[in-house]
Amino acid sequence: MQNIITQVPQNGDGQVNPLLQQQNYDQDYYNNNDNIQDDSYGNSLIHLNIQENHYFITRDQLMSLPESLLLCLFPSCVFLDRDGQVITNLTPEDEVYIINFAPECFEYIMNVFTKAHDDLINHPVDKLFERPNNNSFVNTAKGFFGLGSNGSNSNNITPTTSNTTNISQNKSTNGEHDLLHQKPVIIVLREDLDYYCVPLKDCGFETIPNLNLTKEQQNDNNDDLLQHFMAQIKIAAGSYLTNENSIFQGLFSSNRLKYQNLKSLNSKVNKNNKFINSSTNNELKLGPAEQHLMDMLCSSGFTKKSQWGNRTQEPGKTVISSLSLCRLENESTELFRNKLDQAIINWENQQKSKKFNTTNNNDTISPTRSLMNLKTSLSRENSNNNLKPSNTIAGISNTLKSDKQQQSQKKEKRKSSRLSQLTRSSNNNSTSFNKKNNDNNNDNSISLPKVYDLVPKPDINAKLLLFWRKPARKCWWGDEEIDLEIEIYGHWVNDPKKGKIINLKLPTSANLENELNMIKLPVRLHIRRVWTLELSVIGVQ
């Protein structure tokens, strides 16, 4: 039975969700079977029929979805066939029928979770840090999208009872906060919106004199006209609300928030007892709880201009369901990997640039070149000494011969001294050259800096762990007045008592569309919003 106010089924009988019982049963099944290698039970296919759109998903894939999404897919908490009968023993031949869920939303869920599991398997965070995987949370990870015990994940280890027991110990040692850095994390934000339409103009009914109708028939016709009139209003209001895609716009529509801001504005009175111009404070201020929620989401991947990933209206109901799946910007995302790759390229270019500059700035002298310079200088010196001016060779006396012998001895000493200096200089230059080469070789062996030295560690709000496996819900009411364009069987008339009203008239011709009139009607919408926030850590059971 549905509640006349909330328009949703009542679940106050205290029954436990059978799907969650099934999920717990699957966990016990794995824990009590230590030697499972081929999990045919978890990899068995389930045929889903979502509004005549057919999908095949394994049991593990389905049970890996967070609780809030499972309750959206199966609001009655059981598997139903096409006739609405409960499927007690589900087999691959059975067809699970889902009527109150949009297929576009299901595909949106599958795309986001598939990408997250692809990052978990093909781009593990442990590979970035090149460290062994000793976290027992990974050992209890369940497969998704064909990545079970027989999947391609080399790190996937079948969980045992001892591993499951160690989970509580690792929570205290390693810390659950590390999971937000090590695993792909998805923030699941869902809004269930119910709206109620109240026309701000009265309506009347025009009788047709040519028709001989009884009073009961006339009342039935009036009821049909009124039903069509209200249906058009609800359809137009649903179209208007569906196009409102902003996520955080709903937070500012709370009646309590409007009342608090109006009260705060009215309390600001100047000396002349006149209200302060409201144009200076035209934006509503969120309350502490709402502002804290918005800040936490905006610091985790959302923005103030974020829009719903999927927003659809349930057929035949004044209910609009919205869903946004946001990947937490941690080390498992493609964005972080791209930043790290670019940082490594920049670091390598810097090292090459340093090495190139160091090589060009070294003034090294080779021994061969030094000897050539020495020979050149000696030859120049000898030539200069041999070109001493003299008048005649015959006039040289024996006394000058002794002077030449002394000069020759001095030249030999000077030559020997220069050779020794050259040898020492050559040895020093050779030693310096070898030292430079050794330094360059050491530069080539410089190790790559650590990951967080290249890329800053993502700043993750640890309060998100409060919503891991524990969906939180927030409900509030709001109202707004809008003008809706609707097509009705009627027109505006002036009533002497009520003023301008809408006069509904039963169509008389066979062509009903020709008697439809487009009017603009002021309507007040009373809106009830329910937010559900949950954190899903991929790869952790």
Side-chain angles (χ1 to χ4, degrees):
M1 178 180 178
Q2 291 187 349
N3 191 300
I4 192 173
I5 301 297
T6 61
Q7 305 179 9
V8 295
Q10 300 185 45
N11 295 323
D13 51 1
Q15 295 181 357
V16 181
N17 189 338
L19 290 177
L20 299 182
Q21 285 184 339
Q22 181 68 33
Q23 191 173 9
N24 295 332
Y25 170 77
D26 293 342
Q27 180 64 36
D28 295 338
Y29 176 80
Y30 284 101
N31 294 340
N32 296 328
N33 294 270
D34 299 341
N35 298 323
I36 297 177
Q37 297 296 333
D38 185 10
D39 186 14
S40 58
Y41 178 78
N43 290 332
S44 60
L45 289 178
I46 298 177
H47 181 190
L48 299 180
N49 186 335
I50 304 178
Q51 298 183 12
E52 298 305 327
N53 292 271
H54 301 271
Y55 304 93
F56 292 89
I57 186 173
T58 67
R59 188 182 296 268
D60 281 345
Q61 295 168 12
L62 183 61
M63 292 306 168
S64 296
L65 295 177
E67 176 186 343
S68 57
L69 296 183
L70 285 176
L71 292 177
C72 294
L73 286 168
F74 309 100
S76 57
C77 303
V78 290
F79 296 121
L80 301 177
D81 59 11
R82 183 179 292 270
D83 299 328
Q85 301 297 324
V86 178
I87 302 176
T88 56
N89 186 16
L90 185 64
T91 62
E93 289 75 21
D94 293 323
E95 183 178 0
V96 180
Y97 199 64
I98 302 175
I99 59 175
N100 294 326
F101 200 84
E104 297 82 6
C105 185
F106 182 77
E107 294 176 3
Y108 169 64
I109 295 172
M110 294 296 100
N111 290 335
V112 175
F113 274 82
T114 301
K115 175 60 178 175
H117 281 269
D118 178 72
D119 289 340
L120 174 68
I121 301 302
N122 298 324
H123 306 282
V125 176
D126 292 332
K127 187 177 180 180
L128 296 178
F129 292 90
E130 296 182 352
R131 62 170 182 255
N133 188 2
N134 296 324
N135 194 341
S136 67
F137 277 109
V138 180
N139 298 333
T140 60
K142 293 286 291 179
F144 198 88
F145 285 25
L147 303 174
S149 58
N150 295 330
S152 60
N153 183 6
S154 60
N155 293 329
N156 187 17
I157 302 176
T158 304
T160 60
T161 306
S162 60
N163 288 333
T164 306
T165 307
N166 291 334
I167 291 180
S168 58
Q169 298 177 359
N170 284 276
K171 286 182 180 179
S172 58
T173 57
N174 296 335
E176 292 181 346
H177 186 263
D178 293 338
L179 289 176
L180 300 182
H181 292 276
Q182 298 174 358
K183 300 297 176 185
V185 180
I186 299 176
I187 302 175
V188 181
L189 180 62
R190 180 175 175 83
E191 178 186 79
D192 295 304
L193 184 150
D194 302 329
Y195 65 93
Y196 306 86
C197 306
V198 180
L200 299 181
K201 294 293 183 179
D202 294 332
C203 63
F205 302 97
E206 182 179 350
T207 59
I208 303 176
N210 295 332
L211 295 178
N212 296 324
L213 300 176
T214 63
K215 186 177 181 179
E216 183 178 355
Q217 290 176 339
Q218 185 67 37
N219 292 336
D220 291 340
N221 290 336
N222 293 342
D223 290 340
D224 293 339
L225 287 173
L226 185 60
Q227 288 285 346
H228 179 266
F229 173 69
M230 291 303 300
Q232 295 301 311
I233 294 177
K234 293 179 180 179
I235 292 174
S239 178
Y240 165 78
L241 292 174
T242 303
N243 293 328
E244 296 292 325
N245 290 326
S246 178
I247 292 179
F248 296 106
Q249 182 179 356
L251 285 179
F252 291 90
S253 64
S254 171
N255 286 340
R256 182 175 61 86
L257 183 63
K258 291 181 181 179
Y259 173 76
Q260 289 178 353
N261 283 269
L262 181 61
K263 185 178 179 181
S264 175
L265 182 62
N266 292 339
S267 62
K268 297 179 181 180
V269 182
N270 59 13
K271 296 180 180 179
N272 296 327
N273 294 327
K274 294 181 180 179
F275 291 108
I276 296 177
N277 188 4
S278 61
S279 62
T280 59
N281 192 17
N282 52 6
E283 293 186 0
L284 296 177
K285 294 183 179 180
L286 294 176
E290 292 81 5
Q291 187 64 46
H292 179 73
L293 175 61
M294 183 175 178
D295 293 340
M296 182 184 65
L297 293 177
C298 289
S299 64
S300 304
F302 289 89
T303 64
K304 293 182 179 180
K305 296 182 180 180
S306 293
Q307 295 184 348
W308 294 106
N310 182 270
R311 189 171 176 88
T312 55
Q313 182 175 6
E314 294 187 16
K317 292 184 179 181
T318 58
V319 177
I320 298 176
S321 299
S322 305
L323 179 66
S324 181
L325 303 176
C326 180
R327 279 287 299 273
L328 186 64
E329 295 180 356
N330 60 1
E331 291 84 342
S332 67
T333 61
E334 184 179 0
L335 178 62
F336 183 87
R337 295 195 298 271
N338 293 337
K339 289 181 179 179
L340 181 60
D341 293 340
Q342 186 61 40
I344 293 175
I345 294 175
N346 295 338
W347 180 85
E348 291 177 348
N349 292 335
Q350 291 177 359
Q351 297 302 316
K352 291 179 181 179
S353 177
K354 291 180 181 179
K355 181 180 177 181
F356 179 77
N357 295 333
T358 304
T359 305
N360 291 339
N361 293 332
N362 290 335
D363 294 328
T364 57
I365 303 177
S366 61
T368 305
R369 184 177 180 181
S370 299
L371 290 173
M372 292 175 61
N373 293 336
L374 176 62
K375 292 179 179 180
T376 302
S377 61
L378 291 176
S379 62
R380 288 178 179 176
E381 184 178 355
N382 291 331
S383 62
N384 292 332
N385 293 329
N386 293 330
L387 293 177
K388 275 186 173 184
S390 59
N391 294 327
T392 58
I393 301 176
I396 298 176
S397 60
N398 294 329
T399 57
L400 293 178
K401 292 182 179 180
S402 61
D403 294 338
K404 286 184 177 180
Q405 291 177 357
Q406 294 177 358
Q407 290 179 1
S408 176
Q409 293 177 357
K410 291 181 179 179
K411 287 181 181 180
E412 291 295 332
K413 290 181 180 180
R414 192 181 304 124
K415 181 177 179 180
S416 175
S417 176
R418 289 184 179 180
L419 282 173
S420 61
Q421 291 179 359
L422 176 62
T423 305
R424 288 195 298 270
S425 175
S426 177
N427 293 334
N428 293 334
N429 290 332
S430 178
T431 304
S432 176
F433 180 78
N434 294 332
K435 184 177 181 180
K436 297 287 184 181
N437 288 337
N438 293 334
D439 293 340
N440 293 333
N441 293 332
N442 292 332
D443 291 340
N444 295 331
S445 62
I446 295 177
S447 60
L448 187 69
K450 295 181 180 180
V451 173
Y452 294 142
D453 293 335
L454 295 171
V455 181
K457 185 176 181 179
D459 187 13
I460 298 177
N461 195 332
K463 293 183 179 180
L464 288 173
L465 287 170
L466 296 175
F467 308 99
W468 181 35
R469 299 170 176 166
K470 300 174 184 178
R473 290 175 177 85
K474 176 179 176 60
C475 175
W476 69 93
W477 284 87
D479 64 76
E480 58 178 305
E481 295 182 7
I482 59 174
D483 293 332
L484 298 176
E485 292 186 352
I486 59 175
E487 284 186 333
I488 61 170
Y489 297 107
H491 55 277
W492 288 103
V493 296
N494 291 321
D495 187 88
K497 295 181 179 180
K498 299 181 180 179
K500 196 174 183 180
I501 65 172
I502 299 175
N503 199 14
L504 301 178
K505 181 181 177 180
L506 190 69
T508 57
S509 62
N511 193 349
L512 301 179
E513 294 183 357
N514 291 338
E515 299 193 30
L516 286 172
N517 296 321
M518 181 71 71
I519 66 170
K520 182 175 288 187
L521 178 67
V523 178
R524 174 174 292 168
L525 298 180
H526 295 274
I527 304 171
R528 174 179 177 264
R529 286 182 170 88
V530 180
W531 273 20
T532 304
L533 179 61
E534 186 177 6
L535 193 72
S536 178
V537 182
I538 308 301
V540 180
Q541 181 71 8

